[in-house]
């Protein structure tokens, strides 16, 4: 019999990659999904099995991190070997609009899971992974940030996650639970939510290239993030729960990049050079050059002919509505402990991540353009 895992947040970016990874390892994976008025399982539809299939390896349960009785019932029925608590209201900016809800889900939600495991008498059977975050470092007290760096959270999201971090440590120390925190720096992928900065950029750049959108409005272009690939980071979650003793680990690449440079890299993926001019709200990104053979290879010849007419135009502007009340300016992690103790080695660096996201979004936007019959791509379609 394979091991049994329970993933909260299975419909999210990390939940989807982790579910696929664990199923390939022979696990039976149970996932908690929220009831929604429209389908919210697009990231895991390829793993879905009809409830009538015998010996399923993916089983979904309706649930919510705000509902203790629901969580306790599911954990009691599933009796998982491993729980990956990935569910959260995970958007930092939105947490300023919904601070109480964020505290309830991201902070108390973790307590509900720990307490359910304890009350059900599963302490010796069930290992728990808590999705902690580099946002805990906030106004950073040390560069780079590692496991011993003091926390200084800068948003309702980060404050809620700080409670979750410490309640996990406390249950480990008080009750001897195998409960661990992964302090994960930003990780992205083609499955990343569309309102996080990297995906917003790769989607918008793809649409601009295809003539489906003129420009994109961004927030703080100067903040720096340590971006890795979600496919690498979910492997670290798994490794953390395979250790004999529970502990807390930083997962990061050790490279930090501005939002501005991420935008440049995304356009450069198809040979478009962007130059930024101006400061603050007046900063703008212009099309400064086009490497025509690369553009043609990636986008097609008629798309190139149309796009060439846009040389010199502004495609990136700043809008203060995307600024945060208290910003996290710089994140860069030191993952030495994870590399030495877990043997965690990432496969992707930032250029590979950008390539993966751009290729996926260009494909997706081309499909959209064909369906809506809009944008330059349609010219290629008729050639
Ligand atoms: P995500 O794509 O936003 O997924 C969040 C998941 O949580 C979704 O499945 C969502 O369900 C679910 N969820 C939200 N509120 C819930 C509730 N009240 N009850 C039950 N489920 C709920 O996030 P992610 O990028 O995969 O991140 C996974 C976890 O790691 C999160 O806890 C996040 O805070 C943390 N983290 C992420 C990063 C990163 O860079 N990605 C870095 C550090 C830590 P719906 O699909 O229905 O919305
Ligand atoms: O992509 P972001 O929204 O991610 P953020 O705030 O770093 O949080 C993500 O990573 C955390 C790990 O450190 C996770 F815990 C959390 O759940 C989430 O996954 O923003 C990144 C940066 C910020 O400095 C933001 O101000 O990009 C800046 N930014 C600039 N313009 C923008 C935009 N962010 C968004 N979302 N949208 C913009 O237009």
């Amino acid at each position: 019999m394979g091991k049994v895992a329970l993933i909260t947040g299975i419909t999210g970016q990390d939940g989807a990659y982790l579910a696929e990874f664990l199923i390939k390892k022979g696990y039976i994976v149970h996932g908690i999904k929220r009831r929604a008025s429209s389908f919210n399982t697009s990231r895991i539809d390829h793993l879905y099995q009809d409830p009538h299939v015998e010996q399923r390896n993916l089983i979904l349960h309706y649930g919510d991190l705000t509902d203790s009785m629901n969580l306790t019932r599911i954990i009691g029925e599933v009796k998982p070997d491993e729980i990956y608590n990935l569910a959260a209201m995970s958007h930092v900016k939105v947490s300023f609009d919904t601070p109480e809800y964020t505290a309830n889900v991201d902070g108390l939600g973790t307590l509900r899971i720990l307490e359910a495991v304890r009350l059900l008498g599963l302490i010796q059977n069930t290992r728990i992974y808590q999705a902690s975050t580099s946002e805990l470092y906030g106004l950073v007290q040390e560069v780079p940030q590692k496991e011993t760096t003091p926390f200084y959270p800068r948003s309702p999201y980060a404050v809620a996650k700080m409670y979750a971090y410490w309640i996990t440590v406390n249950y480990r120390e008080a009750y001897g639970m195998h409960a661990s925190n992964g302090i994960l720096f930003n990780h992205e992928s083609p499955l990343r939510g569309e309102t996080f900065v990297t995906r917003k950029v790769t989607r918008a750049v793809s649409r601009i290239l295809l003539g489906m959108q003129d420009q994109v409005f961004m927030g703080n272009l100067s903040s720096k993030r340590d971006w890795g690939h979600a496919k690498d980071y979910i492997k670290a979650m798994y490794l953390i729960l395979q250790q004999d003793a529970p502990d807390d680990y930083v997962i990061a690449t050790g490279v930090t990049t501005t939002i501005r440079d991420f935008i440049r890299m995304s356009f450069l993926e198809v040979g478009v050079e962007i130059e930024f001019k101006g400061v603050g709200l007046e900063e703008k990104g212009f099309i400064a050059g086009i490497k025509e053979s690369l553009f043609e290879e990636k986008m097609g010849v008629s798309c190139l002919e149309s796009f060439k007419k846009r040389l010199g135009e502004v495609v990136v502007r700043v809008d203060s509505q995307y600024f945060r009340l208290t910003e996290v300016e710089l994140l860069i992690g030191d993952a030495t402990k994870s590399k030495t103790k877990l043997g965690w080695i990432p496969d992707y660096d930032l250029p590979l991540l950008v390539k993966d996201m751009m290729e996926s979004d260009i494909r997706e936007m081309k499909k959209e353009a064909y369906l809506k019959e809009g944008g330059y791509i349609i010219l290629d379609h008729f050639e």
Side-chain angles (χ1 to χ4, degrees):
M1 282 289 283
K3 281 192 195 169
V4 176
L6 174 65
I7 303 177
T8 73
I10 194 166
T11 56
Q13 171 189 252
D14 293 3
Y17 282 122
L18 180 65
E20 184 167 0
F21 175 80
L22 293 178
I23 287 171
K24 280 196 186 133
K25 285 213 167 285
Y27 279 61
I28 305 217
V29 173
H30 291 255
I32 296 183
K33 68 164 181 172
R34 297 194 285 180
R35 193 269 156 182
S37 64
S38 48
F39 289 124
N40 61 354
T41 52
S42 62
R43 293 184 177 107
I44 50 168
D45 281 348
H46 62 296
L47 303 172
Y48 179 77
Q49 290 169 312
D50 188 277
H52 304 96
V53 170
E54 272 181 39
Q55 299 196 323
R56 280 183 294 162
N57 51 20
L58 178 70
I59 298 144
L60 297 179
H61 307 258
Y62 281 112
D64 200 293
L65 277 227
T66 58
D67 186 338
S68 312
M69 282 190 272
N70 158 271
L71 293 172
T72 308
R73 178 181 55 75
I74 294 170
I75 294 170
E77 282 171 11
V78 172
K79 296 194 174 45
D81 298 296
E82 297 171 4
I83 297 178
Y84 295 87
N85 181 32
L86 309 185
M89 200 309 287
S90 68
H91 202 283
V92 172
K93 174 106 170 56
V94 175
S95 76
F96 288 95
D97 300 326
T98 60
E100 182 184 346
Y101 174 73
T102 305
N104 193 2
V105 176
D106 299 12
L108 290 179
T110 304
L111 172 68
R112 293 184 181 106
I113 286 176
L114 292 161
E115 197 53 3
V117 169
R118 187 177 80 81
L119 294 175
L120 289 163
L122 292 174
I123 286 179
Q124 300 307 321
N125 311 61
T126 304
R127 297 180 173 195
I128 300 173
Y129 172 87
Q130 169 55 23
S132 285
T133 165
S134 50
E135 281 291 307
L136 295 171
Y137 298 119
L139 188 62
V140 298
Q141 305 293 296
E142 190 179 21
V143 179
Q145 297 87 50
K146 52 182 186 282
E147 290 80 1
T148 50
T149 303
F151 297 148
Y152 194 138
R154 294 270 280 173
S155 62
Y157 167 79
V159 174
K161 284 281 187 177
M162 182 131 159
Y163 175 82
Y165 174 94
W166 281 115
I167 200 70
T168 300
V169 172
N170 182 248
Y171 269 55
R172 174 166 87 215
E173 293 175 352
Y175 303 111
M177 277 192 183
H178 196 298
S180 302
N181 286 288
I183 308 172
L184 271 53
F185 282 62
N186 298 51
H187 45 281
E188 320 292 314
S189 74
L191 296 187
R192 183 60 145 150
E194 291 84 351
T195 59
F196 296 99
V197 76
T198 56
R199 189 78 199 288
K200 173 171 170 177
V201 168
T202 57
R203 272 171 59 87
V205 171
S206 303
R207 293 173 68 84
I208 290 168
L209 296 170
L210 291 165
M212 299 163 73
Q213 178 174 328
D214 293 335
Q215 55 191 338
V216 61
F217 288 90
M218 303 297 304
N220 181 2
L221 295 173
S222 299
S223 63
K224 290 180 154 186
R225 288 293 181 273
D226 178 333
W227 283 298
H229 199 299
K231 275 189 183 169
D232 284 327
Y233 285 45
I234 56 98
K235 290 182 194 160
M237 298 176 185
Y238 164 78
L239 287 172
I240 288 171
L241 289 200
Q242 308 318 305
Q243 304 307 301
D244 289 340
D247 204 348
D248 309 315
Y249 298 89
V250 160
I251 307 295
T253 68
V255 176
T256 194
T257 308
T258 61
I259 310 304
R260 193 178 292 105
D261 280 342
F262 187 91
I263 297 172
R264 280 200 193 101
M265 289 173 76
S266 302
F267 274 104
L268 259 186
E269 197 48 43
V270 294
V272 176
E273 290 160 345
I274 299 293
E275 232 174 71
F276 285 90
K277 289 187 187 154
V279 286
L281 284 170
E282 294 311 312
E283 184 167 0
K284 294 179 183 66
F286 298 82
I287 303 172
I290 304 169
K291 293 177 182 158
E292 295 192 11
S293 55
L294 180 57
F295 192 104
E296 190 181 319
E297 180 199 318
K298 302 260 181 177
M299 307 300 298
V301 65
S302 55
C303 193
L304 171 65
E305 289 313 312
S306 308
F307 194 78
K308 269 167 37 179
K309 296 181 194 134
R310 301 202 55 193
L311 198 63
E313 281 185 20
V314 174
V315 282
V316 184
R317 289 179 197 271
V318 176
D319 182 339
S320 60
Q321 72 165 296
Y322 300 111
F323 290 166
R324 297 186 179 172
L325 294 167
T326 38
E327 174 65 284
V328 173
E329 297 288 351
L330 165 70
L331 290 175
I332 176 165
D334 173 355
T336 306
K337 178 175 169 185
S338 298
K339 288 184 176 157
T340 51
K341 280 191 74 180
L342 302 175
W344 176 73
I345 316 260
D347 289 326
Y348 286 82
D349 60 9
L350 185 59
L352 277 179
L353 171 69
V354 173
K355 184 175 158 55
D356 193 23
M357 293 181 73
M358 279 300 296
E359 284 180 355
S360 168
D361 274 331
I362 289 172
R363 242 189 341 265
E364 203 167 290
M365 294 309 147
K366 276 184 178 171
K367 267 190 235 154
E368 203 178 293
Y370 280 128
L371 290 175
K372 290 192 180 153
E373 302 209 344
Y376 312 146
I377 187 68
I378 216 67
L379 301 174
D380 278 328
H381 184 50
F382 289 116
E383 268 176 4

